[in-house]
């Protein structure tokens, strides 16, 4: 059997190459979409993860800052600062804003934070330095690459000119990227000084976050209080119910296309070798022999396609990330193995779809 199914594959080399190319592209697409899923899932909450205070405070009706609206005020800020359970309060103001640079306008998630606080600013500076003055800004590295902005360049937001002092990582939320300025500057851009999005609290020593939350809820019933991990989980949940399910759907369609391509090729092979199979039946070959030929072809084609996909995946991803820096793709060995395993399962499904044609091949056809 080993020699015969290899002969079947080698008998049509061009068809084999085209088949492997099509299936490998389906596998590359699945890897790419799952890589984007992981990149978006991590990048969207990286800012929140790194701003790891003890408690996050937002408006009562909100659960997250990715797609939720939260408006807090100075009275709430002062009240929290005077509470004995609270060591420090870091105010954050997040607004969607239009940034202009080099004749081009782009939307950015502008984050205003207290420059004296250790929370609320960019998670990591990968180029340049943090903000020290009110007329400075730190941009996400992907956003800067996309818009050809360098450290030291000037950008304009609401007719205000800001100098780019640094580029940050962990601030790419796929559909939008973060920019960081002083909260005083963001207040002046908005024209309102008494508005905030959230507060990041550091509790006094030996204060249990759950106890502090219960106490603070009595003081400020108009606010919601979340421990750091609860708030991270809320934002991850929000992201998973947004654009990410669409990526899984497209990856699933790729798997269906893979199955359809392989089923078609296997069926054509069976039809072309119909007389050979009839001879094998009249010679009394075992019942499992012919289905085994089909399964073997499917597995070999899938393994060759998977190998081609893994070789092709990294340069294709590098090219796409170079063309669109805002796209962050993250994959690991486990994800790659799961995709290959899925492809093998799809190949078995294709085999089952094609094998039924063997039942309609009769030994009498030889005569």
């Amino acid at each position: 059997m080993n020699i015969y199914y290899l002969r079947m594959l080698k008998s049509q080399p061009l068809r084999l190459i085209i088949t492997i190319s099509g299936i490998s592209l389906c596998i590359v697409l699945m890897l790419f979409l799952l890589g984007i899923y992981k990149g978006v899932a991590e990048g969207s909450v990286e800012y929140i993860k790194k701003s790891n205070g003890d408690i996050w405070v937002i408006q009562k009706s909100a659960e997250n800052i990715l797609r939720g609206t939260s408006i807090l005020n100075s009275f709430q800020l002062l009240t929290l600062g005077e509470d004995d359970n609270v060591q420090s309060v870091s105010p954050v103001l997040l607004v969607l804003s239009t940034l202009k640079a080099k004749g081009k306008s782009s939307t950015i998630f502008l984050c205003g934070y207290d420059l004296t606080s250790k929370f609320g600013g960019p998670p990591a500076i990968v180029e340049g330095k943090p903000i020290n003055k009110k007329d400075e800004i730190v941009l996400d590295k992907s956003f800067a690459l996309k818009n050809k902005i360098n450290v030291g360049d000037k950008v304009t937001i609401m007719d205000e000119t800001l100098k780019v002092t640094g580029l940050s990582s962990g601030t790419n939320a796929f559909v939008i990227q973060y920019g960081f300025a002083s909260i005083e500057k963001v207040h002046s851009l908005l024209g309102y000084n008494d508005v905030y999005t959230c507060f990041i609290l550091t509790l006094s020593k030996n204060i249990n976050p759950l106890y502090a939350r219960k106490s603070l809820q009595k003081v400020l019933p108009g606010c919601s209080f979340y421990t750091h991990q609860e708030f991270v989980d809320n934002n991850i949940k929000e992201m998973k119910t947004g654009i990410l399910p669409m990526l899984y759907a497209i990856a699933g369609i790729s798997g269906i296309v893979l199955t359809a391509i392989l089923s078609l090729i296997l069926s054509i092979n069976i039809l072309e070798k119909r007389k050979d199979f009839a001879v094998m039946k009249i010679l009394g070959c075992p019942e499992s022999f012919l289905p085994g030929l089909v399964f073997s072809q499917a597995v070999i084609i899938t393994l060759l396609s998977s190998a081609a996909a893994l070789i092709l995946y990294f340069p294709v991803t590098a090219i796409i990330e170079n063309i669109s820096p805002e796209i962050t793709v993250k994959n690991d060995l486990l994800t790659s193995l799961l995709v290959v395993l899925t492809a093998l399962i799809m190949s078995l499904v294709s085999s089952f779809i094609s094998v039924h044609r063997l039942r309609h091949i009769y030994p009498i056809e030889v005569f």
Side-chain angles (χ1 to χ4, degrees):
M1 182 176 74
N2 292 338
I3 296 175
Y4 191 75
Y5 75 72
L6 289 176
R7 281 184 182 176
M8 289 178 67
L9 291 174
K10 290 165 62 177
S11 64
Q12 295 286 347
L14 181 59
R15 181 193 297 170
L16 179 62
I17 292 171
I18 293 174
T19 303
I20 290 174
S21 299
I23 294 174
S24 64
L25 288 175
C26 290
I27 295 172
V28 167
L29 182 57
M30 287 192 284
L31 284 169
F32 181 70
L33 291 172
L34 293 177
I36 289 180
Y37 177 94
K38 190 171 182 181
V40 173
E42 292 183 7
S44 299
V45 297
E46 190 69 15
Y47 165 70
I48 300 167
K49 285 182 178 180
K50 293 294 177 68
S51 299
N52 56 344
D54 295 314
I55 290 180
W56 287 75
V57 185
I58 55 176
Q59 188 176 314
K60 183 74 174 177
S61 58
E63 293 184 345
N64 64 84
I65 59 173
L66 290 180
R67 295 200 300 175
T69 300
S70 173
I71 301 175
L72 304 175
N73 56 51
S74 296
F75 170 76
Q76 294 164 325
L77 176 63
L78 292 172
T79 302
L80 290 168
E82 293 171 355
D83 194 282
D84 293 336
N85 296 318
V86 179
Q87 180 178 329
S88 66
V89 184
S90 301
V92 174
L93 176 57
L94 295 163
V95 293
L96 286 173
S97 186
T98 300
L99 181 147
K100 297 180 181 179
K102 300 183 178 182
K104 183 180 178 181
S105 298
S106 302
T107 302
I108 194 168
F109 204 17
L110 186 60
C111 175
Y113 71 102
D114 185 353
L115 301 186
T116 64
S117 172
K118 62 179 181 178
F119 298 123
I125 302 293
V126 293
E127 188 177 336
K129 61 181 181 179
I131 302 165
N132 291 317
K133 301 176 182 178
K134 293 181 181 179
D135 61 346
E136 295 177 341
I137 188 170
V138 167
L139 297 176
D140 172 73
K141 184 179 180 181
S142 299
F143 180 87
L145 286 171
K146 178 184 177 182
N147 294 281
K148 297 179 174 58
I149 301 172
N150 301 309
V151 173
D153 287 350
K154 300 290 182 67
V155 298
T156 303
I157 300 178
M158 297 181 187
D159 298 325
E160 293 271 354
T161 300
L162 302 173
K163 181 181 178 181
V164 179
T165 63
L167 304 179
S168 63
S169 65
T171 49
N172 180 11
F174 184 55
V175 293
I176 197 166
Q177 292 77 41
Y178 286 84
F180 298 88
S182 69
I183 198 165
E184 292 84 3
K185 173 55 71 175
V186 180
H187 275 148
S188 69
L189 291 172
L190 285 177
Y192 298 99
N193 294 326
D194 188 32
V195 62
Y196 305 93
T197 300
C198 60
F199 303 129
I200 306 173
L201 307 185
T202 302
L203 300 178
S204 301
K205 191 176 181 180
N206 298 325
I207 297 296
N208 186 291
L210 297 179
Y211 166 79
R213 177 171 64 180
K214 187 176 181 180
S215 174
L216 292 169
Q217 282 173 336
K218 295 178 181 178
V219 177
L220 291 173
C223 297
S224 293
F225 298 83
Y226 297 99
T227 64
H228 178 68
Q229 189 56 52
E230 286 174 343
F231 197 63
V232 170
D233 292 341
N234 285 352
N235 283 273
I236 291 175
K237 179 182 177 182
E238 185 62 33
M239 181 51 64
K240 287 183 176 179
T241 59
I243 190 173
L244 299 185
M246 181 183 70
L247 301 180
Y248 267 131
I250 298 174
I253 292 172
S254 300
I256 294 172
V257 172
L258 183 156
T259 304
I261 292 173
L262 195 51
S263 298
L264 179 62
I265 295 302
L266 293 174
S267 296
I268 290 173
N269 285 345
I270 290 172
L271 291 175
E272 287 183 343
K273 300 295 181 180
R274 188 181 185 95
K275 288 186 177 180
D276 290 352
F277 289 168
V279 170
M280 293 178 192
K281 282 190 173 185
I282 205 169
L283 292 176
C285 68
E287 189 176 343
S288 61
F289 182 81
L290 295 182
L293 286 176
V294 178
F295 290 134
S296 298
Q297 286 183 83
V299 170
I300 290 297
I301 290 173
T302 303
L303 290 176
L304 290 173
S305 300
S306 299
L310 293 174
I311 294 170
L312 190 62
Y313 172 73
F314 296 102
V316 168
T317 300
I319 292 170
I320 293 173
E321 288 182 331
N322 188 53
I323 296 172
S324 301
E326 70 274 19
I327 295 177
T328 302
V329 183
K330 292 186 178 181
N331 254 321
D332 51 31
L333 180 60
L334 179 60
T335 302
S336 300
L337 290 175
L338 286 174
V339 170
V340 172
L341 179 61
T342 301
L344 285 171
I345 292 172
M346 294 294 186
S347 72
L348 294 178
V349 173
S350 301
S351 302
F352 279 113
I353 293 172
S354 305
V355 155
H356 80 280
R357 293 184 178 276
L358 295 173
R359 299 173 190 155
H360 301 290
I361 298 176
Y362 304 102
I364 197 171
E365 292 182 27
V366 176
F367 306 102

